[in-house]
């Protein structure tokens, strides 16, 4: 009998690829959706793999208790990939913090009560980063972002506090369920559907010409397919229990992303701007306030632990960017 895995947030960009990767490896998968969107998920996954009757659904919302006990019942593992977006006011820290923190605890309460073997939770590399990216340093999983730093943007604070809450929950728990967290960088790569494209929207804006210039920001680009792979490696490796793993890829300036699109895509890349926006213009624009702290970023993350413990190796950032762009073009949204 195949092992069973619950993937939270099956309609999401990362969640969809996790489902496809698990099915390809022979697992049975149940995924949570907030509404009845089963066919959309089935159609997206079917672009990569035949589910062959091994995909089922549960209705559960990270902002409510209902449905979680039923969702985890009978599961061997949980990949907690979903992350709520919070309220309408993204500048209100609590609007982001409460749903992310409470959602993680809901999943863990249900998983531990059901005796799930391991929960792998998606966090973010910016939970293991210095408050300012200006330091010329390479940091690893032993560093925790300081959530009390007043300069932190709400998103970084919410991700840090949500992961902290998960580890605090497990510290007070005495039972067989294990926790592992994955800390990805900027997630690019091909899309499964046009409804949810996540951070790939950056590439879409470049291709459509709506990004008229490129800020001086560097990204540690990880391919969504490699991100799904590391989740499964962390789920199955005995050495991964109780560990954090950075899953960042190659550091790439956004200008180099734009240049790769311009150089490789011919007519499809004609609208891509390769003009860099001056830092002062970015800082003066209220709409860019959240990215301003990362201007000229020098800090990097080390993925030595993921390589050594899990045998994980991400593909080159340029490959991921181009595969991402080609999938957007093929689906008519770029």
């Amino acid at each position: 009998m195949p092992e069973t895995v619950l993937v939270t947030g099956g309609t999401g960009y990362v969640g969809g690829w996790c489902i496809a990767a698990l099915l390809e490896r022979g697992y049975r998968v149940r995924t949570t959706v907030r509404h009845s969107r089963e066919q959309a998920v089935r159609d997206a996954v079917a672009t990569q793999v035949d589910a062959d009757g091994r995909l089922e659904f549960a209705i559960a919302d990270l902002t409510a208790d209902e449905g979680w006990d039923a969702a985890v019942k009978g599961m061997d593992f949980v990949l907690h990939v979903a992350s709520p977006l919070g309220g309408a006011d993204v500048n209100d820290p609590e609007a982001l913090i409460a749903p992310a923190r409470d959602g993680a605890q809901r999943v863990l309460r249900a998983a531990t009560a059901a005796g799930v073997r391991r929960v792998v939770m998606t966090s973010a590399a910016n939970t293991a980063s210095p408050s300012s990216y200006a330091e010329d340093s390479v940091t690893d999983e032993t560093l925790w972002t300081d959530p009390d730093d007043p300069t932190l943007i709400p998103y970084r604070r919410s991700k840090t506090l949500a992961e902290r809450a998960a580890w605090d929950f497990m510290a007070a728990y005495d039972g067989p369920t294990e926790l592992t967290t994955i800390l990805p960088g900027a997630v690019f790569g091909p899309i499964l559907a046009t409804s949810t494209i996540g951070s790939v929207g950056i590439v879409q804006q470049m291709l459509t010409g709506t990004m008229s210039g490129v800020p001086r920001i560097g990204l540690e680009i990880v391919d969504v397919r490699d991100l799904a792979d590391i989740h499964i490696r962390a789920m199955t490796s005995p050495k991964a229990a109780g560990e954090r793993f950075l899953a960042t890829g190659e550091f790439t300036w956004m200008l180099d992303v734009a240049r790769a699109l311009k150089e490789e895509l011919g007519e499809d890349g004609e609208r891509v701007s390769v003009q860099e926006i001056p830092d002062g213009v970015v800082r003066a624009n209220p709409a860019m306030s959240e990215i301003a702290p990362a201007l000229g970023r020098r800090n990097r993350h080390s993925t030595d632990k993921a390589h050594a413990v899990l045998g994980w190796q991400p593909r080159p950032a340029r490959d991921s960017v181009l595969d991402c762009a080609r999938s957007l073009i093929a689906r008519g949204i770029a």
Side-chain angles (χ1 to χ4, degrees):
M1 186 72 175
E3 291 177 309
T4 56
V5 186
L6 176 72
V7 178
T8 65
T11 58
Y13 179 45
V14 177
W17 276 104
C18 285
I19 293 169
L22 288 162
L23 291 171
E24 286 176 341
R25 289 162 171 80
Y27 291 94
R28 295 188 66 86
V29 180
R30 180 182 296 158
T31 188
T32 62
V33 291
R34 286 180 295 173
H35 310 290
S36 183
R37 294 189 60 193
E38 295 185 14
Q39 195 56 50
V41 176
R42 289 190 189 278
D43 291 345
V45 171
T47 64
Q48 302 299 313
V49 61
D50 181 1
D52 193 27
R54 290 179 290 119
L55 176 60
E56 61 184 73
F57 296 82
I59 302 295
D61 188 322
L62 290 174
T63 63
D65 292 334
E66 293 77 18
W68 287 106
D69 289 341
V72 300
K73 185 177 181 181
M75 295 293 104
D76 295 302
F77 304 101
V78 173
L79 300 188
H80 177 35
V81 181
S83 181
L85 298 177
D89 185 4
V90 295
N91 291 314
D92 174 12
E94 195 60 24
L96 289 170
I97 292 167
R101 178 193 60 217
D102 298 348
Q105 291 177 329
R106 284 187 175 95
V107 172
L108 287 171
R109 275 197 299 270
T112 53
V116 165
R117 284 152 57 185
R118 185 175 297 171
V119 176
V120 180
M121 174 179 163
T122 313
S123 183
N126 60 28
T127 69
S129 304
S131 295
S132 169
Y133 286 115
E135 301 172 22
D136 191 6
S137 59
V138 178
T139 54
D140 62 19
E141 296 88 348
T142 61
L143 178 70
W144 275 92
T145 299
D146 179 8
D148 296 323
D149 187 326
T151 66
L152 280 190
I153 62 173
Y155 175 77
R156 287 189 67 188
R157 182 174 287 112
S158 73
K159 296 298 287 187
T160 302
L161 290 175
E163 191 190 348
R164 279 285 195 191
W167 286 116
D168 289 345
F169 178 95
M170 295 304 292
Y173 162 75
D174 183 18
T177 302
E178 301 163 337
L179 175 65
T180 302
T181 56
I182 302 296
L183 286 55
V187 186
F188 286 5
I191 62 171
L192 294 178
T194 59
S195 55
T196 306
I197 63 174
S199 52
V200 170
I202 294 172
V203 177
Q204 183 191 39
Q205 290 173 37
M206 288 182 174
L207 291 171
T208 58
T210 55
M211 186 180 291
S212 57
V214 184
R216 195 169 62 94
I217 286 177
L219 305 171
E220 289 174 295
I221 296 172
V222 60
D223 193 284
V224 67
R225 295 163 292 187
D226 297 329
L227 184 55
D229 176 60
I230 196 175
H231 276 77
I232 298 172
R233 289 172 182 263
M235 182 182 84
T236 56
S237 171
K239 295 180 179 180
E243 300 289 347
R244 309 172 83 201
F245 291 96
L246 278 159
T248 53
E250 183 181 357
F251 184 92
T252 307
W253 292 105
M254 285 183 66
L255 182 58
D256 291 327
V257 171
R259 285 171 174 162
L261 298 174
K262 195 83 168 178
E263 292 167 4
E264 296 291 339
L265 297 179
E267 292 182 0
D268 290 323
E270 287 182 349
R271 289 175 291 178
V272 177
S273 171
V274 290
Q275 298 298 313
E276 197 162 60
I277 304 173
D279 292 356
V281 173
V282 174
R283 292 192 177 98
N285 187 341
M288 295 184 175
S289 61
E290 290 208 353
I291 67 171
L295 287 168
R297 172 185 170 181
R298 290 184 289 170
N299 168 258
R300 312 288 199 276
H301 292 97
S302 168
T303 54
D304 288 350
K305 183 177 177 181
H307 300 326
V309 177
L310 303 178
W312 182 69
Q313 185 65 50
R315 71 198 71 200
R318 189 181 181 95
D319 293 352
S320 183
V321 166
L322 293 172
D323 285 353
C324 170
R326 290 175 179 129
S327 78
L328 291 168
I329 293 165
R331 292 177 181 275
I333 58 171

